C-alpha cells in the first residue's frame, strides 16, 4: 500500500511539476512577436481627385507585408495646410512644417517598445490637406498619444484623426495597388 501511495504521489508530482513549468512560461499573447519589419521603400504616385493634383508617398515594402494581423488597426490623420501655392498644394515652407510634424507623430505613435506600435504606411497631399496613414498594433496607445498631443496643444497645424479596425488592410488596398503595378 505504501508503494502504491508513493506511485500515485510521484505521478501527481510529475503532473503538477509539468503543469507549473508550463504555467511559468510566458503565454504567446504576452510575448513580443519576433518579426523583422521590411526596410522602408517609399514610392511616389501622382494622380487627380476632382481635377486637382494629389501626391501619395506610399511605403511599397508594406503593400504585401506578411504580418498584417499584428498591425490590424488603421490610423488616419488629416492635417489642414496653411500656406498653399497653386492647385491647393503646400508651399515649400509649409512642407517643412508638415514633414517635421509627421516625423514627430511617427515617432510618438511608434512608442518605445522593441516592436513599434505603429508603422507609417502613406501620406497623401491634396487640396490643402495632408492625410497621414499608419498601421497600428495597440489602438489605445495610439489614441492616448494623439489625444494628448491635442490636449497639450502640441501641434503646428489643426488635425483630426480616426482609428478603425482593419484586420486585412482593406482601407489601404487601393494605395497598395498603385505601387504594385
Amino acid at each position: 500500500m505504501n508503494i502504491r501511495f508513493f506511485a500515485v504521489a510521484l505521478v501527481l508530482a510529475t503532473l503538477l511539476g509539468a503543469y507549473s513549468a508550463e504555467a511559468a512560461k510566458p503565454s504567446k499573447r504576452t510575448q513580443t512577436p519576433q518579426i523583422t519589419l521590411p526596410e522602408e521603400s517609399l514610392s511616389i504616385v501622382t494622380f487627380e481627385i476632382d481635377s486637382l493634383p494629389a501626391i501619395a508617398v506610399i511605403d511599397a515594402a508594406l503593400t504585401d507585408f506578411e504580418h498584417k494581423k499584428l498591425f490590424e488597426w488603421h490610423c488616419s490623420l488629416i492635417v489642414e495646410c496653411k500656406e498653399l501655392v497653386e492647385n491647393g498644394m503646400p508651399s515649400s515652407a509649409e512642407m517643412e512644417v508638415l514633414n517635421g510634424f509627421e516625423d514627430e507623430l511617427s515617432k510618438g505613435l511608434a512608442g518605445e517598445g522593441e516592436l513599434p506600435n505603429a508603422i507609417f504606411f502613406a501620406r497623401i497631399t491634396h487640396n490643402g490637406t495632408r492625410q497621414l496613414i499608419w498601421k497600428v498594433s495597440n489602438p489605445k496607445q495610439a489614441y492616448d498619444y494623439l489625444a494628448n498631443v491635442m490636449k497639450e496643444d502640441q501641434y503646428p497645424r489643426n488635425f483630426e484623426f480616426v482609428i478603425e479596425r482593419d484586420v486585412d488592410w482593406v482601407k489601404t488596398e487601393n494605395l497598395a495597388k498603385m505601387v504594385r503595378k
Side-chain angles (χ1 to χ4, degrees):
M1 197 162 185
N2 254 350
I3 293 175
R4 194 168 163 195
F5 176 76
F6 179 75
V8 169
L10 183 61
V11 168
L12 280 174
T14 303
L15 287 174
L16 287 173
Y19 175 76
S20 61
E22 191 67 24
K25 291 181 184 175
S27 73
K28 288 182 180 179
R29 294 182 143 232
T30 60
Q31 291 177 336
T32 301
Q34 298 301 313
I35 67 165
T36 301
L37 293 174
E39 187 173 328
E40 188 175 66
S41 174
L42 299 179
S43 293
I44 299 172
V45 179
T46 59
F47 53 101
E48 284 189 1
I49 302 173
D50 298 330
S51 300
L52 289 173
I55 300 173
V57 177
I58 305 162
D59 187 350
L62 294 177
T63 58
D64 295 313
F65 184 50
E66 63 186 68
H67 301 287
K68 290 179 179 178
K69 298 224 185 290
L70 294 174
F71 298 92
E72 64 184 36
W73 293 86
H74 177 84
C75 177
S76 174
L77 190 138
I78 306 287
V79 181
E80 292 179 28
C81 303
K82 282 187 178 179
E83 297 178 28
L84 302 175
V85 292
E86 63 187 69
N87 295 321
M89 297 306 275
S91 68
S92 295
E94 183 71 3
M95 286 178 48
E96 284 185 39
V97 171
L98 295 172
N99 292 342
F101 186 41
E102 177 186 320
D103 291 345
E104 183 181 318
L105 290 171
S106 285
K107 184 178 176 185
L109 285 167
E112 296 184 15
E114 185 176 321
L115 187 65
N117 184 52
I119 50 179
F120 176 78
F121 187 85
R123 76 171 160 262
I124 304 161
T125 307
H126 168 261
N127 196 21
T129 64
R130 179 171 280 184
Q131 179 182 15
L132 304 170
I133 300 170
W134 291 270
K135 293 305 189 174
V136 174
S137 178
N138 180 333
K140 182 178 180 343
Q141 181 180 334
Y143 176 85
D144 289 348
Y145 168 74
L146 291 171
N148 190 56
V149 169
M150 290 179 119
K151 178 183 163 195
E152 299 295 324
D153 199 20
Q154 300 175 7
Y155 49 93
R157 299 292 182 263
N158 290 333
F159 72 94
E160 41 186 68
F161 70 93
V162 63
I163 299 173
E164 304 170 288
R165 193 160 196 202
D166 186 26
V167 177
D168 295 318
W169 293 26
V170 173
K171 294 185 179 298
T172 50
E173 184 55 30
N174 286 337
L175 292 170
K177 285 178 184 176
M178 289 180 178
V179 296
R180 281 193 200 116
K181 292 179 180 181

PDB file of all heavy atoms in Angstrom, residues 36-61:
ATOM      1  N   THR A  36      10.734  40.815 -38.337  1.00  0.00           N
ATOM      2  CA  THR A  36      11.598  41.869 -38.844  1.00  0.00           C
ATOM      3  C   THR A  36      10.763  42.714 -39.792  1.00  0.00           C
ATOM      4  O   THR A  36      10.176  42.183 -40.746  1.00  0.00           O
ATOM      5  CB  THR A  36      12.800  41.273 -39.607  1.00  0.00           C
ATOM      6  OG1 THR A  36      13.522  40.424 -38.713  1.00  0.00           O
ATOM      7  CG2 THR A  36      13.705  42.363 -40.128  1.00  0.00           C
ATOM      8  N   LEU A  37      10.689  43.991 -39.498  1.00  0.00           N
ATOM      9  CA  LEU A  37       9.957  44.886 -40.381  1.00  0.00           C
ATOM     10  C   LEU A  37      10.776  45.101 -41.649  1.00  0.00           C
ATOM     11  O   LEU A  37      12.004  45.200 -41.592  1.00  0.00           O
ATOM     12  CB  LEU A  37       9.710  46.227 -39.701  1.00  0.00           C
ATOM     13  CG  LEU A  37       8.771  46.194 -38.505  1.00  0.00           C
ATOM     14  CD1 LEU A  37       8.713  47.560 -37.833  1.00  0.00           C
ATOM     15  CD2 LEU A  37       7.377  45.762 -38.920  1.00  0.00           C
ATOM     16  N   PRO A  38      10.092  45.166 -42.781  1.00  0.00           N
ATOM     17  CA  PRO A  38      10.841  45.406 -44.020  1.00  0.00           C
ATOM     18  C   PRO A  38      11.438  46.807 -44.019  1.00  0.00           C
ATOM     19  O   PRO A  38      10.902  47.726 -43.391  1.00  0.00           O
ATOM     20  CB  PRO A  38       9.778  45.261 -45.112  1.00  0.00           C
ATOM     21  CG  PRO A  38       8.473  45.483 -44.432  1.00  0.00           C
ATOM     22  CD  PRO A  38       8.664  45.058 -42.996  1.00  0.00           C
ATOM     23  N   GLU A  39      12.547  46.957 -44.709  1.00  0.00           N
ATOM     24  CA  GLU A  39      13.168  48.269 -44.837  1.00  0.00           C
ATOM     25  C   GLU A  39      12.237  49.167 -45.646  1.00  0.00           C
ATOM     26  O   GLU A  39      11.708  48.760 -46.686  1.00  0.00           O
ATOM     27  CB  GLU A  39      14.521  48.147 -45.530  1.00  0.00           C
ATOM     28  CG  GLU A  39      15.293  49.441 -45.542  1.00  0.00           C
ATOM     29  CD  GLU A  39      16.696  49.264 -46.091  1.00  0.00           C
ATOM     30  OE1 GLU A  39      17.283  48.182 -45.911  1.00  0.00           O
ATOM     31  OE2 GLU A  39      17.192  50.235 -46.696  1.00  0.00           O
ATOM     32  N   GLU A  40      12.047  50.387 -45.166  1.00  0.00           N
ATOM     33  CA  GLU A  40      11.139  51.323 -45.816  1.00  0.00           C
ATOM     34  C   GLU A  40      11.548  51.548 -47.274  1.00  0.00           C
ATOM     35  O   GLU A  40      12.717  51.730 -47.589  1.00  0.00           O
ATOM     36  CB  GLU A  40      11.157  52.647 -45.049  1.00  0.00           C
ATOM     37  CG  GLU A  40      10.124  53.641 -45.507  1.00  0.00           C
ATOM     38  CD  GLU A  40      10.114  54.884 -44.629  1.00  0.00           C
ATOM     39  OE1 GLU A  40      11.122  55.624 -44.641  1.00  0.00           O
ATOM     40  OE2 GLU A  40       9.118  55.094 -43.932  1.00  0.00           O
ATOM     41  N   SER A  41      10.558  51.517 -48.162  1.00  0.00           N
ATOM     42  CA  SER A  41      10.785  51.731 -49.587  1.00  0.00           C
ATOM     43  C   SER A  41       9.669  52.645 -50.099  1.00  0.00           C
ATOM     44  O   SER A  41       8.588  52.185 -50.452  1.00  0.00           O
ATOM     45  CB  SER A  41      10.756  50.386 -50.331  1.00  0.00           C
ATOM     46  OG  SER A  41      10.845  50.597 -51.719  1.00  0.00           O
ATOM     47  N   LEU A  42       9.947  53.949 -50.082  1.00  0.00           N
ATOM     48  CA  LEU A  42       8.915  54.922 -50.415  1.00  0.00           C
ATOM     49  C   LEU A  42       8.759  55.075 -51.927  1.00  0.00           C
ATOM     50  O   LEU A  42       9.738  55.234 -52.648  1.00  0.00           O
ATOM     51  CB  LEU A  42       9.238  56.273 -49.782  1.00  0.00           C
ATOM     52  CG  LEU A  42       9.324  56.270 -48.253  1.00  0.00           C
ATOM     53  CD1 LEU A  42       9.676  57.657 -47.736  1.00  0.00           C
ATOM     54  CD2 LEU A  42       8.015  55.783 -47.632  1.00  0.00           C
ATOM     55  N   SER A  43       7.507  55.022 -52.361  1.00  0.00           N
ATOM     56  CA  SER A  43       7.156  55.229 -53.767  1.00  0.00           C
ATOM     57  C   SER A  43       6.265  56.453 -53.856  1.00  0.00           C
ATOM     58  O   SER A  43       5.367  56.640 -53.031  1.00  0.00           O
ATOM     59  CB  SER A  43       6.390  54.023 -54.318  1.00  0.00           C
ATOM     60  OG  SER A  43       7.219  52.897 -54.382  1.00  0.00           O
ATOM     61  N   ILE A  44       6.494  57.270 -54.862  1.00  0.00           N
ATOM     62  CA  ILE A  44       5.691  58.474 -55.075  1.00  0.00           C
ATOM     63  C   ILE A  44       4.738  58.213 -56.241  1.00  0.00           C
ATOM     64  O   ILE A  44       5.165  57.778 -57.313  1.00  0.00           O
ATOM     65  CB  ILE A  44       6.568  59.695 -55.368  1.00  0.00           C
ATOM     66  CG1 ILE A  44       7.490  59.962 -54.167  1.00  0.00           C
ATOM     67  CG2 ILE A  44       5.715  60.914 -55.687  1.00  0.00           C
ATOM     68  CD1 ILE A  44       8.540  61.023 -54.416  1.00  0.00           C
ATOM     69  N   VAL A  45       3.449  58.481 -55.996  1.00  0.00           N
ATOM     70  CA  VAL A  45       2.426  58.287 -57.011  1.00  0.00           C
ATOM     71  C   VAL A  45       1.654  59.588 -57.149  1.00  0.00           C
ATOM     72  O   VAL A  45       1.244  60.182 -56.147  1.00  0.00           O
ATOM     73  CB  VAL A  45       1.461  57.145 -56.618  1.00  0.00           C
ATOM     74  CG1 VAL A  45       0.387  56.949 -57.661  1.00  0.00           C
ATOM     75  CG2 VAL A  45       2.217  55.850 -56.371  1.00  0.00           C
ATOM     76  N   THR A  46       1.475  60.039 -58.387  1.00  0.00           N
ATOM     77  CA  THR A  46       0.670  61.246 -58.616  1.00  0.00           C
ATOM     78  C   THR A  46      -0.612  60.854 -59.334  1.00  0.00           C
ATOM     79  O   THR A  46      -0.619  59.927 -60.173  1.00  0.00           O
ATOM     80  CB  THR A  46       1.443  62.290 -59.455  1.00  0.00           C
ATOM     81  OG1 THR A  46       1.797  61.707 -60.697  1.00  0.00           O
ATOM     82  CG2 THR A  46       2.688  62.764 -58.735  1.00  0.00           C
ATOM     83  N   PHE A  47      -1.690  61.530 -59.001  1.00  0.00           N
ATOM     84  CA  PHE A  47      -2.992  61.281 -59.612  1.00  0.00           C
ATOM     85  C   PHE A  47      -3.852  62.513 -59.392  1.00  0.00           C
ATOM     86  O   PHE A  47      -3.381  63.517 -58.854  1.00  0.00           O
ATOM     87  CB  PHE A  47      -3.634  60.009 -59.037  1.00  0.00           C
ATOM     88  CG  PHE A  47      -3.729  59.973 -57.538  1.00  0.00           C
ATOM     89  CD1 PHE A  47      -4.924  60.252 -56.886  1.00  0.00           C
ATOM     90  CD2 PHE A  47      -2.624  59.636 -56.752  1.00  0.00           C
ATOM     91  CE1 PHE A  47      -5.022  60.211 -55.500  1.00  0.00           C
ATOM     92  CE2 PHE A  47      -2.712  59.581 -55.373  1.00  0.00           C
ATOM     93  CZ  PHE A  47      -3.911  59.875 -54.747  1.00  0.00           C
ATOM     94  N   GLU A  48      -5.102  62.469 -59.811  1.00  0.00           N
ATOM     95  CA  GLU A  48      -6.001  63.606 -59.632  1.00  0.00           C
ATOM     96  C   GLU A  48      -7.240  63.192 -58.855  1.00  0.00           C
ATOM     97  O   GLU A  48      -7.725  62.070 -59.010  1.00  0.00           O
ATOM     98  CB  GLU A  48      -6.434  64.172 -60.990  1.00  0.00           C
ATOM     99  CG  GLU A  48      -5.379  64.982 -61.672  1.00  0.00           C
ATOM    100  CD  GLU A  48      -5.896  65.717 -62.912  1.00  0.00           C
ATOM    101  OE1 GLU A  48      -7.099  65.611 -63.239  1.00  0.00           O
ATOM    102  OE2 GLU A  48      -5.084  66.401 -63.544  1.00  0.00           O
ATOM    103  N   ILE A  49      -7.727  64.119 -58.052  1.00  0.00           N
ATOM    104  CA  ILE A  49      -9.006  63.974 -57.360  1.00  0.00           C
ATOM    105  C   ILE A  49      -9.770  65.266 -57.626  1.00  0.00           C
ATOM    106  O   ILE A  49      -9.255  66.351 -57.329  1.00  0.00           O
ATOM    107  CB  ILE A  49      -8.831  63.771 -55.841  1.00  0.00           C
ATOM    108  CG1 ILE A  49      -7.975  62.541 -55.545  1.00  0.00           C
ATOM    109  CG2 ILE A  49     -10.190  63.667 -55.146  1.00  0.00           C
ATOM    110  CD1 ILE A  49      -7.611  62.362 -54.072  1.00  0.00           C
ATOM    111  N   ASP A  50     -10.945  65.152 -58.193  1.00  0.00           N
ATOM    112  CA  ASP A  50     -11.758  66.330 -58.519  1.00  0.00           C
ATOM    113  C   ASP A  50     -10.966  67.363 -59.320  1.00  0.00           C
ATOM    114  O   ASP A  50     -10.993  68.555 -59.020  1.00  0.00           O
ATOM    115  CB  ASP A  50     -12.324  66.969 -57.244  1.00  0.00           C
ATOM    116  CG  ASP A  50     -13.237  66.036 -56.476  1.00  0.00           C
ATOM    117  OD1 ASP A  50     -13.891  65.186 -57.118  1.00  0.00           O
ATOM    118  OD2 ASP A  50     -13.293  66.149 -55.241  1.00  0.00           O
ATOM    119  N   SER A  51     -10.241  66.912 -60.297  1.00  0.00           N
ATOM    120  CA  SER A  51      -9.447  67.757 -61.212  1.00  0.00           C
ATOM    121  C   SER A  51      -8.310  68.510 -60.533  1.00  0.00           C
ATOM    122  O   SER A  51      -7.751  69.449 -61.111  1.00  0.00           O
ATOM    123  CB  SER A  51     -10.357  68.760 -61.951  1.00  0.00           C
ATOM    124  OG  SER A  51     -11.325  68.069 -62.698  1.00  0.00           O
ATOM    125  N   LEU A  52      -7.956  68.130 -59.312  1.00  0.00           N
ATOM    126  CA  LEU A  52      -6.810  68.733 -58.614  1.00  0.00           C
ATOM    127  C   LEU A  52      -5.740  67.668 -58.398  1.00  0.00           C
ATOM    128  O   LEU A  52      -6.056  66.497 -58.163  1.00  0.00           O
ATOM    129  CB  LEU A  52      -7.233  69.328 -57.278  1.00  0.00           C
ATOM    130  CG  LEU A  52      -8.092  70.589 -57.349  1.00  0.00           C
ATOM    131  CD1 LEU A  52      -8.586  70.980 -55.957  1.00  0.00           C
ATOM    132  CD2 LEU A  52      -7.300  71.741 -57.970  1.00  0.00           C
ATOM    133  N   PRO A  53      -4.469  68.074 -58.455  1.00  0.00           N
ATOM    134  CA  PRO A  53      -3.399  67.089 -58.270  1.00  0.00           C
ATOM    135  C   PRO A  53      -3.367  66.530 -56.841  1.00  0.00           C
ATOM    136  O   PRO A  53      -3.698  67.220 -55.884  1.00  0.00           O
ATOM    137  CB  PRO A  53      -2.123  67.889 -58.560  1.00  0.00           C
ATOM    138  CG  PRO A  53      -2.489  69.303 -58.312  1.00  0.00           C
ATOM    139  CD  PRO A  53      -3.949  69.424 -58.635  1.00  0.00           C
ATOM    140  N   ALA A  54      -2.982  65.275 -56.777  1.00  0.00           N
ATOM    141  CA  ALA A  54      -2.766  64.603 -55.491  1.00  0.00           C
ATOM    142  C   ALA A  54      -1.439  63.865 -55.585  1.00  0.00           C
ATOM    143  O   ALA A  54      -1.105  63.305 -56.639  1.00  0.00           O
ATOM    144  CB  ALA A  54      -3.900  63.629 -55.193  1.00  0.00           C
ATOM    145  N   ILE A  55      -0.695  63.892 -54.510  1.00  0.00           N
ATOM    146  CA  ILE A  55       0.588  63.190 -54.454  1.00  0.00           C
ATOM    147  C   ILE A  55       0.556  62.252 -53.255  1.00  0.00           C
ATOM    148  O   ILE A  55       0.298  62.682 -52.121  1.00  0.00           O
ATOM    149  CB  ILE A  55       1.771  64.169 -54.317  1.00  0.00           C
ATOM    150  CG1 ILE A  55       1.811  65.121 -55.508  1.00  0.00           C
ATOM    151  CG2 ILE A  55       3.088  63.400 -54.193  1.00  0.00           C
ATOM    152  CD1 ILE A  55       2.830  66.235 -55.377  1.00  0.00           C
ATOM    153  N   ALA A  56       0.803  60.978 -53.522  1.00  0.00           N
ATOM    154  CA  ALA A  56       0.857  59.980 -52.450  1.00  0.00           C
ATOM    155  C   ALA A  56       2.282  59.464 -52.332  1.00  0.00           C
ATOM    156  O   ALA A  56       2.946  59.201 -53.327  1.00  0.00           O
ATOM    157  CB  ALA A  56      -0.092  58.827 -52.743  1.00  0.00           C
ATOM    158  N   VAL A  57       2.732  59.352 -51.107  1.00  0.00           N
ATOM    159  CA  VAL A  57       4.018  58.721 -50.805  1.00  0.00           C
ATOM    160  C   VAL A  57       3.657  57.477 -50.000  1.00  0.00           C
ATOM    161  O   VAL A  57       3.096  57.573 -48.910  1.00  0.00           O
ATOM    162  CB  VAL A  57       4.947  59.659 -50.009  1.00  0.00           C
ATOM    163  CG1 VAL A  57       6.244  58.943 -49.656  1.00  0.00           C
ATOM    164  CG2 VAL A  57       5.219  60.928 -50.798  1.00  0.00           C
ATOM    165  N   ILE A  58       3.943  56.324 -50.564  1.00  0.00           N
ATOM    166  CA  ILE A  58       3.491  55.048 -50.016  1.00  0.00           C
ATOM    167  C   ILE A  58       4.696  54.165 -49.729  1.00  0.00           C
ATOM    168  O   ILE A  58       5.604  54.054 -50.559  1.00  0.00           O
ATOM    169  CB  ILE A  58       2.555  54.336 -51.018  1.00  0.00           C
ATOM    170  CG1 ILE A  58       1.394  55.260 -51.410  1.00  0.00           C
ATOM    171  CG2 ILE A  58       2.046  53.014 -50.457  1.00  0.00           C
ATOM    172  CD1 ILE A  58       0.679  54.846 -52.681  1.00  0.00           C
ATOM    173  N   ASP A  59       4.688  53.512 -48.580  1.00  0.00           N
ATOM    174  CA  ASP A  59       5.760  52.567 -48.272  1.00  0.00           C
ATOM    175  C   ASP A  59       5.467  51.257 -49.002  1.00  0.00           C
ATOM    176  O   ASP A  59       4.686  50.428 -48.531  1.00  0.00           O
ATOM    177  CB  ASP A  59       5.882  52.332 -46.764  1.00  0.00           C
ATOM    178  CG  ASP A  59       7.089  51.482 -46.414  1.00  0.00           C
ATOM    179  OD1 ASP A  59       7.727  50.907 -47.331  1.00  0.00           O
ATOM    180  OD2 ASP A  59       7.411  51.377 -45.214  1.00  0.00           O
ATOM    181  N   ALA A  60       6.066  51.089 -50.164  1.00  0.00           N
ATOM    182  CA  ALA A  60       5.828  49.913 -51.004  1.00  0.00           C
ATOM    183  C   ALA A  60       6.236  48.617 -50.302  1.00  0.00           C
ATOM    184  O   ALA A  60       5.687  47.555 -50.596  1.00  0.00           O
ATOM    185  CB  ALA A  60       6.591  50.055 -52.323  1.00  0.00           C
ATOM    186  N   ALA A  61       7.153  48.696 -49.363  1.00  0.00           N
ATOM    187  CA  ALA A  61       7.589  47.492 -48.645  1.00  0.00           C
ATOM    188  C   ALA A  61       6.471  46.904 -47.791  1.00  0.00           C
ATOM    189  O   ALA A  61       6.517  45.728 -47.433  1.00  0.00           O
ATOM    190  CB  ALA A  61       8.793  47.818 -47.766  1.00  0.00           C
TER     191      ALA A  61
END
